[in-house]
Amino acid sequence: MNKILVPFDFSDVAMNALNFAVQLTKQNDSCELVVLNVIEHPTPSSFKTMGVTDYDPLENIYLKKLIDSVEAKLEELLTQEPYQGIKAFYKLKIGNPYHEISFEINEEKAELVVMGTAGASGADEYFVGSNAERVVRRAQCPVITLREPSDVAEINDIVFASNFHDMTPNFVDHVLKLQKALDAELKIVKINTPANFTTTRHDHELMDDFVKRFDIKNCSTSIYNYTNEEDGIVAFAEDIDADMIALGTHQRTGVGHFLLGSIAEDVVNHAKRPVWTFNLEH
């Protein structure tokens, strides 16, 4: 892994994400850490990042002071002891947080995004928490979301949930890279629900074929019955006291997203442990 992007707004959940990303960065000498802060500001179309045209002078003064203040905080942050010995730098952008995060993922060719989430009931005044779902849905690289402090070295079990029908080699390759990087056991699970019931024999055959086809090592398989998939994934992870959840997501938008929902986004909102996601369409 060469580059990790951390959207950062100085909130507690963002700090938890940053600390987690620092631990991952320290595992690879060639890895760079990019800390991205976005100042959300109502601007005309002529307003560009770090530059202003045709804008109220008083607003310019306020914005300049805000930029200076945030830059000073970011510089001070990255001089602290936890960030020594790694390749870390910050970027400060002005605009729509989600759009800027998406742009920087592509601009920096990030191989992983680590970001905090406030959860379903969290305050939405922080751009990190309120934009996590959209990033999870559309990012072209894996995303790890978390709200609580988490130690990379203590991640020993990863719950991997799927229906095992739309597994692409690219997606599975990313899952196995995650498993290898964390040296963890993969707890493969099929959530069985009343609305999508399948037999135990069918599910075991499906998972056994999946494990054999992709030559997956250090893993176990389970079937877990629950009323719906998203809550079942979270409940299973809690029951076995897993350290992380991994699953695929789809780039659904508009009416389709509203009707079908997103299991990954719901899990991100409700899980108390880190959640790794990757878009199955990439």
Side-chain angles (χ1 to χ4, degrees), residues 164 202-216 221:
F164 304 99
H202 169 273
D203 289 345
H204 275 305
E205 289 177 351
L206 197 66
M207 288 186 289
D208 289 345
D209 177 69
F210 170 74
V211 170
K212 182 178 180 180
R213 180 157 44 106
F214 291 103
D215 192 28
I216 301 174
T221 59

Side-chain angles (χ1 to χ4, degrees), residues 141-161:
C141 67
V143 179
I144 293 177
T145 55
L146 67 161
R147 69 177 85 171
E148 301 293 336
S150 185
D151 188 341
V152 169
E154 294 180 358
I155 296 180
N156 300 308
D157 302 306
I158 302 172
V159 167
F160 174 60

Side-chain angles (χ1 to χ4, degrees), residues 8-9 12 15 37-38 49 60 91 93 107 112 126 145 189 201 212 217 223-224 249 266 279-280:
F8 186 76
D9 59 8
D12 289 342
M15 185 60 72
N37 182 275
V38 182
T49 301
N60 291 348
K91 298 186 79 170
K93 294 288 184 175
E107 178 75 7
L112 176 68
Y126 302 121
T145 55
V189 63
R201 175 179 291 183
K212 182 178 180 180
K217 309 296 185 183
I223 298 167
Y224 194 77
T249 184
D266 287 339
N279 197 306
L280 288 163

Side-chain angles (χ1 to χ4, degrees), residues 136-139 141 171 248-251 277-282:
V136 163
R137 190 191 317 156
R138 299 188 183 183
C141 67
F171 173 75
T249 184
H250 291 275
Q251 192 170 326
T277 57
F278 183 57
N279 197 306
L280 288 163
E281 298 168 21
H282 294 309

Side-chain angles (χ1 to χ4, degrees), residues 164-235:
F164 304 99
H165 288 298
D166 50 3
M167 296 290 95
T168 65
N170 182 49
F171 173 75
V172 177
D173 183 56
H174 277 85
V175 173
L176 297 183
K177 285 180 179 177
L178 172 72
Q179 180 191 22
K180 182 178 179 180
L182 299 177
D183 191 24
E185 180 178 353
L186 211 57
K187 303 287 190 177
I188 301 170
V189 63
K190 169 73 162 56
I191 307 299
N192 218 355
T193 69
N196 190 25
F197 176 79
T198 49
T199 66
T200 298
R201 175 179 291 183
H202 169 273
D203 289 345
H204 275 305
E205 289 177 351
L206 197 66
M207 288 186 289
D208 289 345
D209 177 69
F210 170 74
V211 170
K212 182 178 180 180
R213 180 157 44 106
F214 291 103
D215 192 28
I216 301 174
K217 309 296 185 183
N218 191 22
C219 67
S220 64
T221 59
S222 300
I223 298 167
Y224 194 77
N225 300 322
Y226 214 80
T227 52
N228 61 73
E229 289 180 85
E230 51 269 39
D231 291 338
I233 294 169
V234 173

Side-chain angles (χ1 to χ4, degrees), residues 3-281:
K3 192 166 291 187
I4 299 174
L5 178 71
V6 181
F8 186 76
D9 59 8
F10 300 97
S11 63
D12 289 342
V13 294
M15 185 60 72
N16 293 337
L18 179 58
N19 290 336
F20 190 85
V22 167
Q23 295 174 59
L24 290 173
T25 304
K26 289 181 177 179
Q27 292 183 343
N28 188 341
D29 292 339
S30 64
C31 187
E32 290 185 342
L33 180 65
V34 182
V35 181
L36 174 66
N37 182 275
V38 182
I39 296 176
E40 189 168 12
H41 199 273
T43 62
S45 58
S46 59
F47 185 88
K48 304 299 181 183
T49 301
M50 303 302 290
V52 183
T53 62
D54 299 326
Y55 208 61
D56 187 331
L58 292 178
E59 291 287 347
N60 291 348
I61 294 172
Y62 166 77
L63 189 57
K64 180 63 168 60
K65 288 184 177 180
L66 182 59
I67 290 170
D68 290 345
S69 174
V70 173
E71 280 192 323
K73 288 181 180 179
L74 290 169
E75 288 178 0
E76 195 277 331
L77 174 70
L78 294 183
T79 62
Q80 295 177 12
E81 191 277 331
Y83 313 108
Q84 299 303 303
I86 62 172
K87 301 173 184 177
F89 63 94
Y90 71 84
K91 298 186 79 170
L92 178 58
K93 294 288 184 175
I94 302 169
N96 176 278
Y98 168 71
H99 291 156
E100 295 298 335
I101 293 170
S102 299
F103 177 83
E104 290 301 326
I105 291 173
N106 296 323
E107 178 75 7
E108 291 293 339
K109 295 181 173 58
E111 296 178 47
L112 176 68
V113 174
V114 181
M115 64 188 302
T117 175
S121 59
D124 61 4
E125 63 266 23
Y126 302 121
F127 83 74
V128 162
S130 60
N131 285 281
E133 286 185 25
R134 298 176 71 189
V135 174
V136 163
R137 190 191 317 156
R138 299 188 183 183
Q140 296 183 9
C141 67
V143 179
I144 293 177
T145 55
L146 67 161
R147 69 177 85 171
E148 301 293 336
S150 185
D151 188 341
V152 169
E154 294 180 358
I155 296 180
N156 300 308
D157 302 306
I158 302 172
V159 167
F160 174 60
S162 174
N163 61 16
F164 304 99
H165 288 298
D166 50 3
M167 296 290 95
T168 65
N170 182 49
F171 173 75
V172 177
D173 183 56
H174 277 85
V175 173
L176 297 183
K177 285 180 179 177
L178 172 72
Q179 180 191 22
K180 182 178 179 180
L182 299 177
D183 191 24
E185 180 178 353
L186 211 57
K187 303 287 190 177
I188 301 170
V189 63
K190 169 73 162 56
I191 307 299
N192 218 355
T193 69
N196 190 25
F197 176 79
T198 49
T199 66
T200 298
R201 175 179 291 183
H202 169 273
D203 289 345
H204 275 305
E205 289 177 351
L206 197 66
M207 288 186 289
D208 289 345
D209 177 69
F210 170 74
V211 170
K212 182 178 180 180
R213 180 157 44 106
F214 291 103
D215 192 28
I216 301 174
K217 309 296 185 183
N218 191 22
C219 67
S220 64
T221 59
S222 300
I223 298 167
Y224 194 77
N225 300 322
Y226 214 80
T227 52
N228 61 73
E229 289 180 85
E230 51 269 39
D231 291 338
I233 294 169
V234 173
F236 177 74
E238 290 177 349
D239 284 354
I240 68 169
D241 195 25
D243 306 304
M244 177 179 276
I245 296 172
L247 67 164
T249 184
H250 291 275
Q251 192 170 326
R252 295 174 180 144
T253 58
V255 175
H257 178 255
F258 176 76
L259 294 176
L260 297 174
S262 170
I263 292 172
E265 291 166 44
D266 287 339
V267 171
V268 164
N269 268 332
H270 295 100
K272 296 179 180 179
R273 49 199 29 84
V275 179
W276 177 98
T277 57
F278 183 57
N279 197 306
L280 288 163
E281 298 168 21

